[in-house]
Amino acid sequence: MLNSTQHTAHSTNSLNDLKLLSVIIPAYNTAKFLNKCVDSVVNQTYQNIEIIIVDDGSSDSTPQICDELASKYNNIKVIHQENKGLAQTRSVGFNASRGEYIAFVDSDDYIDLNAYAKAIKVLEDNDADMVMFGVKLVDLDEKILAVWTWDNKIFSTPRDVFKFFAETEKPNWGMPYKIYKRSLFENISWPKISMAEDY
């Protein structure tokens, strides 16, 4: 599970000043976790968010929970599909999104309520394409198993980014603990794979 270790104050910008953030949540048989995941996104201090939940052919009560959440919150859109796997499900969510900024959250994760406000401020202050934030790995009893943080660094070339990913021992490739500019995903195809989707 994922939980940003960073904290920030509430944003004072008006909604009209904030660029739209699309948060894409692939969901497959995660009825036990989905409400907590979505609550952590709905209650972000960054207020201009659309949430797209893609139910990837779940066989538990995930589809019903998705529909209940969509009826409860007007910024949630739900897509039901036959099982396609994580990579293609993220692609479906991305294609349905409108935001200038993109974030992905796995449906058994949850996000610190200030994470997106802080990350977007860093993104905009540095005119960055992507921002990565810290992670806590916790078990079902909320016991912290590991904490992953990174020094504040700015990389100016794709080569430097890939070098960092390759040489850092902590897991840093996961899509859910990053925010991206939408432009990064233009004119690329998503791999039809069932393993190592984050890579």
Side-chain angles (χ1 to χ4, degrees):
M1 293 185 183
L2 170 129
N3 182 14
S4 168
T5 59
Q6 306 295 328
H7 300 276
T8 188
H10 286 253
S11 172
T12 57
N13 292 340
S14 72
L15 189 61
N16 292 333
D17 295 333
L18 300 175
K19 294 177 180 176
L20 181 63
L21 168 65
S22 297
V23 180
I24 298 158
I25 305 175
Y28 178 71
N29 289 348
T30 49
K32 186 175 182 179
F33 308 105
L34 187 56
N35 277 299
K36 183 171 185 176
C37 171
V38 173
D39 283 347
S40 76
V41 179
V42 167
N43 293 306
Q44 287 289 307
T45 57
Y46 190 86
Q47 291 294 299
N48 195 13
I49 295 178
E50 70 168 2
I51 301 168
I52 300 170
I53 309 173
V54 185
D55 165 41
D56 190 29
S58 298
S59 58
D60 64 357
S61 59
T62 295
Q64 291 78 18
I65 294 171
C66 288
D67 292 338
E68 290 169 4
L69 288 165
S71 66
K72 184 177 179 181
Y73 299 107
N74 60 13
N75 63 332
I76 292 180
K77 177 180 181 180
V78 172
I79 300 170
H80 298 286
Q81 65 180 25
E82 294 183 0
N83 184 262
K84 295 182 179 181
L86 183 56
Q88 289 301 298
T89 299
R90 285 175 174 158
S91 177
V92 168
F94 174 80
N95 290 335
S97 70
R98 301 175 294 116
E100 187 167 343
Y101 301 139
I102 303 293
F104 299 91
V105 181
D106 291 343
S107 54
D108 60 347
D109 294 342
Y110 58 94
I111 308 295
D112 184 280
L113 299 185
N114 296 308
Y116 290 151
K118 184 177 180 72
I120 287 173
K121 184 177 188 313
V122 173
L123 193 81
E124 294 179 342
D125 287 351
N126 295 279
D127 191 26
D129 292 321
M130 177 183 74
V131 171
M132 180 169 69
F133 47 89
V135 178
K136 289 180 182 175
L137 183 68
V138 301
D139 65 15
L140 295 178
D141 297 318
E142 300 293 319
K143 178 182 177 183
I144 298 174
L145 304 177
V147 177
W148 303 324
T149 59
W150 295 269
D151 296 333
N152 293 332
K153 294 182 180 179
I154 296 176
F155 300 107
S156 58
T157 69
R159 181 183 180 88
D160 291 337
V161 174
F162 284 115
K163 187 171 185 286
F164 168 75
F165 283 159
E167 294 180 353
T168 304
E169 293 182 2
K170 301 172 192 172
N172 55 34
W173 54 83
M175 293 191 78
Y177 39 96
K178 299 176 179 69
I179 286 187
Y180 312 84
K181 280 187 178 176
R182 183 181 197 89
S183 57
L184 282 182
F185 296 93
E186 292 175 354
N187 303 315
I188 66 168
S189 60
W190 295 70
K192 294 183 179 180
I193 56 176
S194 59
M195 296 183 68
E197 299 93 342
D198 288 329
Y199 271 128

